[in-house]
Amino acid sequence: MSHYRPVGLICLVGITALFSLGLAFGGVTVFFQIGPMLNHGRYKPDYYPLGHIVLILAGICLLVAGWIAATTAVDLWKIRTRGRSLALTTAVILGLLSLQPMFSNTTRGYGFWMAVSIFTISVGTIFYLRLPTIRSQFESQTSTQRNS
């Protein structure tokens, strides 16, 4: 049984999969940064134990966020309602978080344009996933899952 997947949905799956790989890589990188910080050298400043705990928690949060993004990518590929809900929620959160740097006086140049692009992609994702043709694919997939 072949499923018709729109090109926009395939692109969204690809972006989400790359995002999950980036988050997982960031989480693993944070864990590798903790080891060298624990070595006390003669010319190295001493770090507080709270800093190590915060780095460990940040690494765990990045890995969990990567797992959620990977789950979203798989669910969008399989056209599940949970994937659409996760993608919409993530787009709303990223869109709201990108508003602060856009309207901040301290953000200039690359940071400003990065925030604008994140906001644009978030708004585009929300509009795309709310299109009647895309929404109907997720709803028809749900009704076929209930009947089987």
Side-chain angles (χ1 to χ4, degrees):
M1 182 171 141
S2 66
H3 297 290
Y4 167 72
R5 287 184 185 86
V7 175
L9 192 61
I10 294 171
C11 292
L12 191 60
V13 167
I15 290 170
T16 308
L18 288 175
F19 190 61
S20 71
L21 288 175
L23 288 170
F25 180 74
V28 171
T29 303
V30 167
F31 283 121
F32 280 119
Q33 294 294 323
I34 294 172
M37 287 176 52
L38 293 175
N39 295 334
H40 295 288
R42 184 174 176 186
Y43 297 106
K44 287 176 67 177
D46 288 333
Y47 295 102
Y48 296 106
L50 182 61
H52 299 296
I53 294 170
V54 169
L55 276 177
I56 291 171
L57 289 176
I60 290 170
C61 288
L62 283 171
L63 289 174
V64 168
W67 179 262
I68 292 170
T71 302
T72 304
V74 169
D75 285 348
L76 283 174
W77 182 256
K78 293 182 178 181
I79 309 178
R80 292 185 182 159
T81 308
R82 178 178 67 176
R84 181 178 173 269
S85 300
L86 285 171
L88 283 171
T89 304
T90 303
V92 167
I93 290 171
L94 285 176
L96 289 175
L97 289 176
S98 68
L99 286 176
Q100 192 273 334
M102 283 173 46
F103 294 111
S104 174
N105 290 332
T106 59
T107 306
R108 292 187 180 100
Y110 180 71
F112 172 77
W113 290 110
M114 182 66 88
V116 168
S117 64
I118 289 172
F119 181 75
T120 304
I121 291 171
S122 297
V123 169
T125 300
I126 292 168
F127 282 130
Y128 180 74
L129 289 175
R130 299 210 26 101
L131 288 174
T133 56
I134 302 301
R135 189 185 319 176
S136 68
Q137 284 196 349
F138 284 97
E139 290 171 357
S140 68
Q141 189 72 10
T142 304
S143 64
T144 58
Q145 287 174 355
R146 288 181 190 155
N147 293 336
S148 21

